[in-house]
Amino acid sequence: AMTSHRRNHRTLLAALIFTSATIASSLALAAPAGAHPVPRVARIVSLPDPQLPESITLDRRGDIYLSLNPLKELLKITPDGTRSVLATIPAGTESLGVRLDAAGNAYLAVAGSGIWRVPAGGGTPALFAAMPGLPNAMAFDRRGRLYVSESLGGVIYRISRDGSVAAWSSSPLLVGTSGPGPCGLVHPSGLPLGANGIAFNARGNAMFVANTTLGTIVRIPVLRDGRAGAASVYAGPDCRLWGADGIALDQRDHVYVAANAERDIVRVSPGGKLRVLASFAAGDPLYSPSDIVFGTGRGDRTRIFISDFALFTGGVGAGVVTLNTGVPGLPLLHRTG
């Protein structure tokens, strides 16, 4: 009886393997070139106009924080969908990047004023560091120091814990253009946006920077004394990177890019090869993807969460989109000591 049971089990397993292979083959044959045979992209949050989410970050519990650009608000969305406005910034014109420190305090970049800090759990926002130009994306290094891209001047600033601001890198590669980009068109914003999304690699010895209007990813070494090394073009210029906005890195140092003008999510391999992972043209719900962070929950660490700004569609499609990358990302929060 045992021999018969094993024989039947092997027969059933072989049939399942054959059936699965047949289905997979049929799906591959049926799918046109460039299509997504297995859907990996999903919209999880929809927002009405004018709640345009320019930037996104997550805490350890999986709560989502969104910088609502025209409202200068910080919106929090819990995993069960509960929404609450944690703060409204009283100065400046529009909110851009948002990131959390290790203690859970939120930092918002606001055009026309600088970097604002909102206490963990909400409270009265306070100006942490006054900054010129267009302070945009932010990232913390392993020591808890905050870096900010200024997109109009093409500069990366480093902010000390007392709020003092110093230019960290002002490479010409970080400057944008008001003329045609790699697609032969002027960026929809009409601004010469240069340095935008910033993120560190797994070892923390290099920063990657998106140049929006040039369609490039720039790599800046972090020297042993903390200073910036000589910047170089890591990827691009490429039409697929046109509108490169927020970026994130996984543990294998792939760079994930939200290309707002192309409405794409692009992955750049360590060798510099580009691959479009999701695209509006392919039917994915991407209208103006603007920022990317990896999930923090146990089941979410291979998913990227994307703020869909929808600025160029008049607010249509604004919200949050997720995409499974298959590779865990880097931790968002670092020690402060």
Side-chain angles (χ1 to χ4, degrees), residues 136-214:
N136 201 335
M138 295 180 287
F140 284 96
D141 66 12
R142 291 183 171 186
R143 297 184 179 181
R145 294 175 296 195
L146 183 61
Y147 296 74
V148 183
S149 63
E150 196 284 291
S151 295
L152 294 180
V155 180
I156 305 297
Y157 289 95
R158 185 166 68 189
I159 304 177
S160 65
R161 292 184 179 87
D162 65 2
S164 58
V165 180
W168 183 72
S169 177
S170 54
S171 167
L173 298 178
L174 303 178
V175 178
T177 179
S178 57
C183 294
L185 301 171
V186 174
H187 190 263
S189 69
L191 299 173
L193 301 175
N196 202 328
I198 58 177
F200 290 95
N201 64 353
R203 295 178 60 190
N205 63 357
M207 174 189 284
F208 291 81
V209 186
N211 187 313
T212 299
T213 52
L214 293 188

Side-chain angles (χ1 to χ4, degrees), residues 56-323:
I56 183 172
T57 195
L58 277 73
D59 63 21
R60 291 189 177 96
R61 295 179 296 272
D63 297 328
I64 296 172
Y65 297 78
L66 294 172
S67 168
L68 302 184
N69 178 269
L71 303 179
K72 294 180 295 179
E73 291 180 351
L74 176 61
L75 179 68
K76 177 181 178 180
I77 306 175
T78 61
D80 67 3
T82 302
R83 305 182 186 188
S84 58
V85 176
L86 291 187
T88 301
I89 307 302
T93 58
E94 56 188 5
S95 58
L96 294 127
V98 58
R99 288 295 183 263
L100 304 176
D101 65 16
N105 301 301
Y107 294 76
L108 272 77
V110 181
S113 57
I115 309 303
W116 292 73
R117 180 165 57 193
V118 179
T124 302
L127 183 63
F128 175 62
M131 280 188 62
L134 187 68
N136 201 335
M138 295 180 287
F140 284 96
D141 66 12
R142 291 183 171 186
R143 297 184 179 181
R145 294 175 296 195
L146 183 61
Y147 296 74
V148 183
S149 63
E150 196 284 291
S151 295
L152 294 180
V155 180
I156 305 297
Y157 289 95
R158 185 166 68 189
I159 304 177
S160 65
R161 292 184 179 87
D162 65 2
S164 58
V165 180
W168 183 72
S169 177
S170 54
S171 167
L173 298 178
L174 303 178
V175 178
T177 179
S178 57
C183 294
L185 301 171
V186 174
H187 190 263
S189 69
L191 299 173
L193 301 175
N196 202 328
I198 58 177
F200 290 95
N201 64 353
R203 295 178 60 190
N205 63 357
M207 174 189 284
F208 291 81
V209 186
N211 187 313
T212 299
T213 52
L214 293 188
T216 58
I217 301 297
V218 176
R219 183 184 185 274
I220 306 175
V222 180
L223 305 181
R224 289 188 176 182
D225 61 3
R227 292 182 299 116
S232 61
V233 174
Y234 186 73
D238 195 290
C239 187
R240 289 169 291 180
L241 295 174
W242 187 46
D245 202 333
I247 65 173
L249 273 77
D250 65 25
Q251 293 179 355
R252 298 177 185 172
D253 284 347
H254 297 101
V255 183
Y256 297 82
V257 184
N260 59 39
E262 283 295 285
R263 303 182 183 184
D264 289 346
I265 302 299
V266 182
R267 182 167 66 191
V268 184
S269 71
K273 184 178 181 180
L274 304 183
R275 179 185 176 189
V276 177
L277 299 182
S279 173
F280 179 83
D284 295 317
L286 297 169
Y287 294 87
S288 300
S290 53
D291 197 12
I292 297 175
V293 292
F294 270 90
T296 56
R298 180 170 298 178
D300 284 339
R301 292 172 186 168
T302 63
R303 284 205 299 168
I304 54 173
F305 289 69
I306 305 154
S307 54
D308 208 347
F309 194 16
L311 177 64
F312 309 138
T313 60
V316 175
V320 177
V321 175
T322 65
L323 185 155

